[in-house]
Amino acid sequence: KFTHDYSTAIVACTDCGLLYRNPRPPADAVTKAYTTERYDEAYLLAELATQRRWARRKVPLLGRYLAKHVTRSRPRVLEVGSFAGGFLLEGQAQGWDMVGVDPGRDVAAFCRAQRLPIFEGTLEETRFMPGSFDAVVVWNTFDQMPDPHPLLEQAVLLLRNGGVLVLRVPNGACFAWMLRLRARVPRTL
């Protein structure tokens, strides 16, 4: 079982090495799964804290690029798959104009309660103007797309000239290591 309640195989693309689920679920099934996932506030608060710690290492890396290539004082950054909003908060702390996109009802409501700007839905459903973002970031969401091409096409349209697309996908070696580790850990953990 992986992410959702269905069994799947994790395979690697022979051309690029990207890990993905096989069989790939239809796009509407993935969106529906994320839309209807339920989380309690305690869980989301813990995830927010974890995401923020992680984002504190990523924001400076992106910040260095933006400082060199963006002329406006407040870079505009779009995060696809915002979940609990940790990256959005850290970007705001840098003074960036942050916007998130996530189809999850619970996570979008949680982000709004944290006063984070989030669009509840998919990137394809947004009405953002072409060329309106200095960066589009996709953390651990790209590999979950049944077909990543529409996301890439939309992201490229939304980037201004010289903008940056940042993709982070799970590392297959890390995944294999975690499975080996999991086999040695007591089931109670």
Side-chain angles (χ1 to χ4, degrees), residues 27-129:
D28 60 338
V30 173
T31 300
K32 183 179 179 188
Y34 281 109
T35 299
T36 59
E37 278 187 324
R38 298 292 169 231
Y39 301 99
D40 63 41
E41 186 171 5
Y43 176 80
L44 290 172
L45 284 168
E47 283 295 317
L48 176 63
T50 299
Q51 279 188 345
R52 288 192 78 179
R53 281 190 302 276
W54 176 85
R56 284 184 194 120
R57 294 189 315 267
K58 299 303 177 190
V59 165
L61 297 173
L62 180 57
R64 284 196 289 276
Y65 177 88
L66 294 174
K68 291 179 188 173
H69 300 282
V70 175
T71 55
R72 63 178 118 192
S73 61
R74 291 189 72 212
R76 190 155 194 241
V77 179
L78 173 65
E79 180 184 27
V80 178
S82 299
F83 194 54
F87 182 76
L88 295 175
L89 272 173
E90 289 303 311
Q92 283 182 335
Q94 284 291 122
W96 300 346
D97 180 9
M98 301 295 290
V99 180
V101 175
D102 200 295
R105 286 183 201 131
D106 283 5
V107 296
F110 178 79
C111 286
R112 284 191 295 272
Q114 308 306 310
R115 297 198 163 118
L116 295 171
I118 190 154
F119 176 86
E120 184 180 329
T122 65
L123 185 59
E124 293 78 22
E125 295 170 335
T126 66
R127 300 278 189 239
F128 298 128
M129 294 295 297

Side-chain angles (χ1 to χ4, degrees), residues 167-185:
L167 301 175
R168 180 179 190 263
V169 295
N171 178 304
C174 179
F175 184 75
W177 177 81
M178 290 298 294
L179 287 176
R180 286 191 304 275
L181 178 66
R182 187 176 128 201
R184 295 188 313 226
V185 174

Side-chain angles (χ1 to χ4, degrees), residues 136-152:
V136 175
V137 299
V138 186
W139 309 115
N140 294 346
T141 301
F142 187 72
D143 61 297
Q144 297 175 41
M145 302 286 134
D147 178 5
H149 293 97
L151 184 145
L152 288 173

